[in-house]
């Protein structure tokens, strides 16, 4: 394999695996900027993956090639609805954020697999009729070298994720809504005295995280696994959480970290073609992303400055 083909393989594979992580990491940034810890990203991704897979199977004949793209929205809406449980528990019932998120992660796989068995009589859906196809971008794919590497036969959702990351950065740091969202994570009592509805902003942060993480789950089922089963989401929510921390709760930083983790995940498929690591046992390449997640959390969690009131319970003044 020549160098150009190898680079194209590495980049396209990395972007495919990075796409769900980008969306989930952005979702985590919105939630935690509002002061709500959301380790339930994994469970939300499971629900998004389940909903989009069922939608794909049921509506592919009517919607044709639009099916997987609408499936992303369906997965996002399912994730948003599921995330309301976390918002209700942490904001109104003042539950511990970690326990609530853990409950989401434990409940989602069992619920989704139960529903799959009830609908299809098996633990997984089987192949989806309309998976997300690889994309070749017109015009820019004709650019010498760069076009072949970055814009030919690559992941459309990954580039959509890059655009959403830029939009998320603008919303969080350049809009009134973003200022209010950050204020309730940094000092909710001061925000309340300025007339900001703290509860509403926290709900918005968690719901946006559910929407984006649900889209991430939909990408997993429709672009990577091409089905939904118990093992469709296997730690990607926690990788996204690590990417968010690595990116210092900044959407652009989270996006870059997610692409790095996507590259680590892709090594299991591309490692045999890379001369430096082609002799490394496959099992090590399979566990590399999870090892990197642990290393990132250990090394950077103490050096990254989280929102000041992240995880604290806020009680509205009477």
């Amino acid at each position: 394999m020549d160098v150009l083909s190898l680079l194209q393989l590495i980049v396209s594979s990395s972007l495919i695996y990075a796409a769900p992580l980008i969306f989930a990491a952005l979702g985590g940034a919105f939630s935690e900027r509002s002061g709500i810890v959301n380790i339930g990203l994994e469970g939300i991704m499971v629900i998004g993956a389940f909903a989009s897979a069922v939608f794909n199977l049921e509506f592919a004949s009517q919607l044709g090639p639009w099916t997987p793209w609408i499936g992303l929205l369906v997965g996002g809406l399912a994730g948003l609805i599921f995330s309301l449980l976390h918002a209700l528990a942490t904001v109104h019932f003042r539950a511990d954020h970690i326990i609530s998120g853990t409950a989401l992660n434990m409940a989602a796989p069992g619920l989704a697999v139960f529903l799959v068995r009830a609908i299809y009589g098996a633990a997984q859906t089987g192949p989806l009729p309309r998976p997300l196809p690889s994309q070749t971008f017109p015009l820019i794919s004709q650019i010498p070298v760069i076009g072949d590497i970055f814009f030919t036969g690559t992941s459309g959702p990954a580039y959509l994720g890059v655009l959403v990351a830029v939009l998320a950065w603008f919303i969080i740091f350049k809009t009134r809504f973003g200022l209010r969202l950050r204020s309730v994570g940094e000092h909710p009592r001061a925000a309340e005295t300025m007339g900001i509805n703290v509860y509403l902003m926290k709900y918005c942060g968690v719901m946006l995280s559910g929407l984006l993480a649900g889209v991430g789950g939909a990408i997993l089922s429709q672009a990577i696994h091409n089905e939904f089963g118990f093992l469709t989401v296997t730690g990607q929510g926690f990788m996204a959480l690590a990417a968010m921390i690595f990116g210092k709760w900044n959407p652009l930083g989270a996006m870059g970290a997610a692409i790095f983790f996507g590259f680590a995940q892709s090594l299991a498929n591309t490692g045999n073609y890379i001369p430096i690591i082609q002799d490394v046992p496959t099992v090590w390449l399979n566990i590399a992303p999870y090892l990197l997640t642990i290393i990132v959390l250990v090394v950077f969690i103490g050096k990254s400055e989280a929102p000041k009131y992240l995880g604290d319970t806020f009680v509205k003044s009477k």
Side-chain angles (χ1 to χ4, degrees):
M1 181 179 290
D2 60 82
V3 175
L4 184 61
S5 298
L6 178 60
L7 287 174
Q8 183 182 10
L9 174 65
I10 293 173
V11 170
S12 62
S13 182
S14 298
L15 290 176
I16 288 171
Y17 283 95
L21 301 181
I22 293 173
F23 280 95
L26 294 176
F30 273 106
S31 179
E32 302 210 351
R33 281 289 180 178
S34 72
I36 303 295
V37 177
N38 194 356
I39 68 166
L41 294 175
E42 180 97 354
I44 296 171
M45 292 181 77
V46 170
I47 296 300
F50 159 76
S52 63
V54 172
F55 177 84
N56 198 303
L57 285 164
E58 299 299 325
F59 291 95
S61 58
Q62 293 96 323
L63 298 175
W66 286 102
T67 305
W69 297 102
I70 300 175
L72 295 183
L73 295 177
V74 172
L77 289 175
L80 185 153
I81 294 170
F82 191 64
S83 69
L84 285 173
L85 295 174
H86 187 52
L88 185 65
T90 55
V91 178
H92 272 93
F93 293 115
R94 304 168 194 168
D96 182 274
H97 298 195
I98 304 298
I99 293 175
S100 176
T102 301
L104 294 187
N105 291 337
M106 295 178 67
L111 174 63
V113 172
F114 169 78
L115 292 174
V116 168
R117 283 187 178 276
I119 298 171
Y120 300 107
Q124 56 192 34
T125 61
L128 303 182
R130 288 283 184 174
L132 279 163
S134 52
Q135 302 289 316
T136 296
F137 295 91
L139 299 180
I140 56 176
S141 62
Q142 304 301 317
I143 300 173
V145 183
I146 293 177
D148 289 333
I149 295 174
F150 291 98
F151 303 113
T152 301
T154 188
S155 171
Y159 284 97
L160 178 62
V162 172
L163 293 176
V164 173
V166 174
L167 178 62
W169 175 87
F170 180 81
I171 290 173
I172 290 176
F173 293 106
K174 300 296 180 180
T175 66
R176 179 178 296 181
F177 172 82
L179 177 61
R180 293 183 174 187
L181 187 76
R182 287 183 287 127
S183 70
V184 301
E186 293 293 342
H187 206 305
R189 190 66 62 196
E192 185 187 37
T193 62
M194 297 299 295
I196 296 173
N197 189 329
V198 175
Y199 283 179
L200 176 62
M201 296 309 301
K202 288 181 178 291
Y203 264 91
C204 287
V206 176
M207 290 166 65
L208 283 169
S209 78
L211 176 67
L212 292 169
V215 172
I219 295 171
L220 275 173
S221 63
Q222 295 187 115
I224 297 177
H225 294 277
N226 194 30
E227 65 175 2
F228 175 80
F230 186 76
L231 297 178
T232 298
V233 184
T234 52
Q236 283 85 357
F238 295 104
M239 289 184 200
L241 196 65
M244 178 201 66
I245 296 171
F246 194 7
K248 298 182 178 180
W249 289 268
N250 184 308
L252 298 182
M255 176 197 70
I259 293 174
F260 170 72
F261 280 116
F263 167 72
Q265 277 195 288
S266 73
L267 290 178
N269 294 328
T270 62
N272 291 333
Y273 302 98
I274 302 175
I276 299 176
I277 61 172
Q278 62 183 2
D279 295 327
V280 175
T282 304
V283 64
W284 288 107
L285 297 179
N286 285 327
I287 66 174
Y290 306 100
L291 290 176
L292 285 173
T293 301
I294 296 172
I295 293 170
V296 165
L297 290 175
V298 170
V299 174
F300 290 95
I301 197 167
K303 297 180 180 180
S304 299
E305 187 175 349
K308 187 176 180 181
Y309 277 75
L310 179 62
D312 285 6
T313 299
F314 172 77
V315 180
K316 188 177 181 179
S317 300
K318 296 182 179 179

